[in-house]
Amino acid sequence: MKGKPCHGGGKEGEVAFYCQGKSCTYAAYASAKAIAWGYTHIYYFAGGFLEWDDEGYPLVIEVKR
């Protein structure tokens, strides 16, 4: 992820970061930057998208038209 996190909850809203897997460092870096920028409810899933899916956690995929 590059740049500032995008969401509609302001700096007090919940923001989750994840990557493609444990070897990807972008989500960890983005989490640290968000904290430095004053965001207060940051979640970082170190296992990434693939581990989330492997564990059977729910996925929400939106298709924009």
Side-chain angles (χ1 to χ4, degrees):
M1 175 174 191
K2 295 181 181 179
K4 292 185 180 182
C6 299
H7 65 91
K11 290 189 176 184
E12 295 79 30
E14 295 179 325
V15 183
F17 293 94
Y18 61 90
C19 241
Q20 288 298 320
K22 292 179 182 178
S23 62
C24 178
T25 59
Y26 292 122
Y29 177 76
S31 298
K33 292 296 282 187
I35 292 168
W37 290 330
Y39 288 79
T40 56
H41 293 92
I42 301 300
Y43 299 93
Y44 166 56
F45 188 73
F49 175 80
L50 298 176
E51 185 175 310
W52 182 274
D53 190 36
D54 287 346
E55 292 295 324
Y57 293 123
L59 300 174
V60 176
I61 300 171
E62 295 182 23
V63 178
K64 294 184 180 184
R65 296 178 184 212

